[in-house]
């Protein structure tokens, strides 16, 4: 097989890497190496940033309607290429093609949001704030900004970052995951085809060296990061130490509470999709089910076990598969190791997927669905993010305990409650210490015109992704207080000016 060489996308074109360092690109469904990715040096990153800085002022001066039109044309191009993008994404990531289309679609929705940028950028105005004095505010782009993104949504998260940033008038440097760079590279090409000037969207591929180069560069004004919590905290600390804006989103341990009055079939369907879809490699995956009361737990387990046992695992190109392989062999071993740990810790492994082999794809990174019962809060499999097709059931004795579990957990990304009782749902939504809540909805990823962000160790920084917060994050506010000469009649004033 001829290995695909992937370099960088700088100044509107693909460029080969010059650092001499590379990493392998795998096809998880077969376990084969299919490509070689160039890892950028600090000097290559600096070159991309300087190029972006030269292009940015003209883009910022392009009126917002014209910037929005680039986004509109980009939407058409993504729609034209949805099948080939989804195929590429599934092959590099491992998720199934229908799931890959969902990944693209949830990114596209933020591009649609960014098409409203002329309206979103409008400032405030107060006429007559004082005699002959008007005050107004305007939102101006920051300059060159960077996004560092994870492997698990290689279409959605890059679009969540670059669409609002670019629509606001910034130039953008994307450092996608080394695991699946193909789709981000193609999206950058499509943006150019849509009319984006060269240098406004750049992709530098790389590892820690490229990330650190972005974090330390004076020309980078803001950094958006999504990935695991320790790296998120590191990126937040290093970026803000040099005065940059930063919003860094981390890992998760999302709970789903099942109240005694819940529709059990609906709850089990929700758990299957949210627990095992995408092989559990979603930051909003449900990894902990919390049935309230022993009867609820027993009823849940009797319906859940046969469903987990009959999960259909398949190659990414099998449209009937429930989920595909994990992203890398290291990820597979890590998740398998967590299942071993859970057994040693005394949790009851009621469905064991560790022995699963995919016929005809023996070297692929597959793991059967695993289900633990009687998981306790002090166990590592409860405290740590596993990021695989492993669901833990923690039996809560009452509602108060079910509310306490996600609230006390160090992660606070998403949570769901399944109930028919509006009062319980309302109380839960108000009190739970987690950023995104689903009521009879298992993966409560808010739509593009709301914002997305977890709490506690799931998010560092103060503004969320997409929605109105993204416009605040990627712009700075300038406030002008204006008085025209005819209003200046009194001469100099030496006491602190106040509005009369
Ligand atoms: P990761 O932290 O390994 O990598 C994320 C990015 O950081 C990549 O671009 C990677 O190249 C870079 N990176 C890795 N190690 C680094 C280091 N030492 N120094 C500097 N940069 C480094 O995460 P991942 O495995 O790609 O993604 C999975 C994680 O992302 C999970 O924890 C998941 O919960 C989380 N995630 C969170 C959200 C959210 O919105 N909260 C969304 C998706 C994924």
């Amino acid at each position: 097989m001829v290995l695909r060489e992937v370099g960088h996308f700088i100044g509107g074109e693909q460029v080969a890497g010059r650092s001499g360092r590379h990493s392998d690109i795998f096809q998880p469904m077969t376990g084969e190496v299919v490509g070689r990715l160039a890892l950028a040096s600090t000097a290559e990153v600096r070159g991309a940033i300087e190029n972006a800085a030269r292009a940015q002022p003209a883009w910022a001066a392009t009126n917002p309607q014209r910037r929005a039109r680039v986004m509109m044309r980009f939407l058409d191009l993504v729609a034209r290429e949805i099948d080939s993008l989804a195929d590429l994404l599934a092959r590099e990531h491992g998720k199934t093609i229908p799931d890959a289309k969902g990944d693209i679609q949830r990114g596209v929705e933020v591009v649609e949001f960014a098409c409203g940028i002329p309206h979103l950028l409008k400032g405030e105005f107060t006429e007559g704030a004082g005699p002959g004095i008007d005050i107004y505010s305007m939102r101006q782009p920051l300059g060159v900004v960077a996004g560092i993104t994870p492997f698990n949504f290689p279409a959605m998260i890059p679009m969540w970052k670059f669409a609002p940033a670019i629509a606001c008038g910034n130039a953008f440097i994307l450092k996608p995951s080394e695991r699946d760079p193909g789709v981000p590279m193609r999206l950058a090409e499509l943006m150019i085809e849509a009319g984006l000037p060269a240098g406004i969207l750049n992709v530098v591929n790389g590892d820690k060296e490229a990330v650190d180069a972005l974090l330390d560069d004076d020309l980078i004004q803001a950094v958006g990061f999504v990935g695991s919590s320790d790296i998120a905290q590191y990126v937040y600390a290093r970026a803000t130490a040099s005065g940059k804006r930063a919003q860094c989103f981390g890992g998760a341990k999302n709970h789903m509470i099942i109240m005694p009055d819940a529709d059990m079939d609906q709850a089990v369907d929700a758990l299957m999709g949210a627990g095992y879809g995408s092989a559990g490699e979603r930051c909003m995956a449900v990894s902990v089910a919390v049935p309230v009361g022993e009867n609820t737990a027993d009823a849940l387990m009797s319906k859940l076990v046969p469903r987990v046992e009959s999960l259909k695992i398949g190659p990414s190109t099998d449209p009937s598969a429930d989920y595909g392989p994990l992203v890398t062999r290291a990820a597979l071993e890590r998740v398998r190791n967590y299942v071993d740990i859970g057994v040693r810790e005394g949790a009851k492994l009621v469905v064991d997927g560790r022995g699963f082999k995919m016929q005809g794809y023996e070297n692929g990174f597959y793991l059967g669905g695993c289900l633990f019962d009687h998981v306790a809060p002090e166990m590592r499999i409860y405290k740590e993010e596993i990021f695989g097709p492993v669901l833990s059931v923690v039996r809560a004795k009452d509602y108060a305990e079910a509310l306490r579990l996600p609230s006390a957990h160090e992660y606070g990304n998403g949570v769901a409650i399944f109930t028919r009782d509006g009062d319980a749902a309302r109380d839960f939504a108000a009190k739970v210490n987690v950023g995104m809540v689903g009521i009879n909805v298992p993966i409560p990823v808010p739509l593009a015109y709301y914002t997305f962000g977890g709490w506690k160790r799931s998010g560092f920084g103060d503004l969320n992704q997409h929605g109105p917060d993204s416009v605040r994050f990627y712009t700075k506010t300038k406030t002008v207080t204006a008085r025209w000469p005819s209003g200046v009649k009194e001469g100099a004033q030496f006491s602190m000016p106040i509005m009369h």
Side-chain angles (χ1 to χ4, degrees):
M1 185 199 286
V2 184
L3 289 191
R4 200 156 52 89
E5 294 282 338
V6 181
H8 313 292
F9 189 88
I10 298 172
E13 58 186 15
Q14 304 235 12
V15 297
R18 286 181 279 107
S19 70
R21 295 196 309 123
H22 295 90
S23 67
D24 289 334
I25 304 170
F26 285 90
Q27 178 166 265
M29 69 175 174
T30 57
E32 291 167 292
V33 175
V34 292
R36 220 164 66 115
L37 180 71
L39 302 175
S41 65
T42 303
E44 285 172 294
V45 173
R46 177 71 191 178
I49 297 170
E50 284 172 351
N51 191 292
R54 280 193 293 276
Q56 190 266 337
W59 178 243
T62 303
N63 80 49
Q65 256 182 307
R66 287 179 187 276
R67 298 202 299 256
R69 284 185 198 131
V70 172
M71 298 291 163
M72 292 175 201
R73 283 194 292 272
F74 175 72
L75 289 173
D76 287 342
L77 299 178
V78 173
R80 182 190 77 191
E81 297 216 352
I82 183 86
D83 289 328
S84 59
L85 285 168
D87 187 76
L88 175 61
L89 198 160
R91 283 173 191 281
E92 284 186 355
H93 175 284
K95 63 179 74 174
T96 63
I97 287 178
D99 197 28
K101 287 189 175 165
D103 182 335
I104 297 164
Q105 174 60 23
R106 292 306 296 259
V108 155
E109 289 170 10
V110 172
V111 182
E112 290 169 348
F113 171 77
C115 290
I117 203 68
H119 184 71
L120 293 163
L121 279 178
K122 285 191 300 193
E124 303 150 306
F125 186 88
T126 302
E127 183 200 4
I133 296 179
D134 303 324
I135 304 184
Y136 58 96
S137 66
M138 46 181 135
R139 295 201 162 274
Q140 296 189 327
L142 305 177
V144 186
V145 299
I148 300 153
T149 54
F151 81 84
N152 67 330
F153 282 100
M156 179 182 88
I157 297 179
M159 284 191 259
W160 281 13
K161 305 249 168 253
F162 75 65
I166 288 175
C168 286
N170 300 287
F172 196 88
I173 313 280
L174 174 66
K175 205 305 286 172
S177 169
E178 310 86 299
R179 318 256 175 270
D180 41 18
V183 169
M185 290 288 281
R186 185 69 193 129
L187 293 176
E189 282 179 334
L190 293 178
M191 282 292 282
I192 296 293
E193 193 181 332
L196 188 72
I200 299 302
L201 175 57
N202 306 278
V203 183
V204 290
N205 284 302
D207 54 8
K208 180 170 168 51
E209 179 173 344
V211 172
D212 288 347
L214 290 167
L215 301 181
D216 295 344
D217 198 294
D218 296 344
L219 284 172
I220 296 288
Q221 304 299 316
V223 176
F225 173 92
V226 179
S228 50
S229 289
D230 288 348
I231 312 288
Q233 189 168 17
Y234 162 78
V235 168
Y236 184 75
R238 190 152 171 168
T240 52
S242 60
K244 300 182 195 329
R245 286 187 185 188
Q247 51 170 203
C248 302
F249 298 94
K253 198 79 182 178
N254 306 313
H255 295 54
M256 184 173 130
I257 315 301
I258 301 109
M259 294 296 286
D261 65 349
D263 177 326
M264 201 52 78
D265 290 320
Q266 199 187 57
V268 168
D269 275 342
L271 274 176
M272 292 305 297
Y276 298 96
S278 206
E281 291 175 319
R282 291 184 185 134
C283 65
M284 290 292 270
V286 170
S287 50
V288 182
V290 185
V292 175
E294 283 302 318
N295 291 344
T296 314
D298 292 341
L300 176 73
M301 291 310 285
S302 71
K303 286 184 189 271
L304 196 54
V305 172
R307 295 285 298 274
V308 178
E309 284 170 340
S310 58
L311 273 166
K312 183 164 185 233
I313 298 136
S316 315
T317 46
D318 175 356
S320 67
D322 294 327
Y323 69 85
L326 289 151
V327 66
T328 55
R329 184 164 303 285
L332 172 64
E333 273 155 22
R334 201 178 140 272
V335 176
R336 227 191 240 142
N337 185 42
Y338 267 115
V339 180
D340 297 344
I341 291 171
V343 172
R344 281 202 299 278
E345 288 179 313
K348 191 168 166 209
L349 184 60
V350 286
V351 184
D352 183 357
R354 287 174 295 179
F356 178 82
K357 278 265 172 277
M358 186 72 217
Q359 259 197 339
Y361 294 84
E362 283 75 11
N363 294 321
F365 311 138
Y366 299 93
L367 182 66
C370 297
L371 178 63
F372 277 111
D373 196 0
H374 297 285
V375 173
E378 55 282 0
M379 293 179 183
R380 275 186 67 194
I381 57 162
Y382 175 75
K383 290 197 275 200
E384 297 172 22
E385 182 181 46
I386 298 176
F387 223 53
V390 182
L391 182 63
S392 295
V393 175
V394 180
R395 294 171 174 236
K397 66 175 188 311
D398 54 20
Y399 168 72
E401 187 183 351
L403 171 63
R404 204 160 49 239
L405 282 164
S407 297
H409 203 283
E410 69 169 339
Y411 293 117
N413 214 37
V415 69
I417 184 167
F418 275 62
T419 180
R420 287 194 178 92
D421 179 351
D423 179 53
R426 193 168 171 271
D427 187 74
F428 184 79
K431 291 186 180 151
V432 72
N433 187 18
V434 171
M436 291 173 282
V437 182
I439 297 173
N440 299 314
V441 171
I443 305 186
V445 178
L447 285 180
Y449 45 96
Y450 281 83
T451 72
F452 180 106
W455 290 2
K456 299 179 279 181
R457 279 187 70 72
S458 298
F460 301 85
D462 53 6
L463 289 170
N464 278 354
Q465 304 185 88
H466 64 64
D469 271 9
S470 64
V471 178
R472 289 185 197 110
F473 183 72
Y474 290 116
T475 57
K476 50 195 175 193
T477 305
K478 184 179 281 177
T479 311
V480 181
T481 305
R483 177 160 63 178
W484 290 97
S486 63
V488 184
K489 297 192 179 81
E490 309 86 9
Q493 182 183 331
F494 294 96
S495 54
M496 181 67 183
I498 57 168
M499 292 301 171
H500 295 287

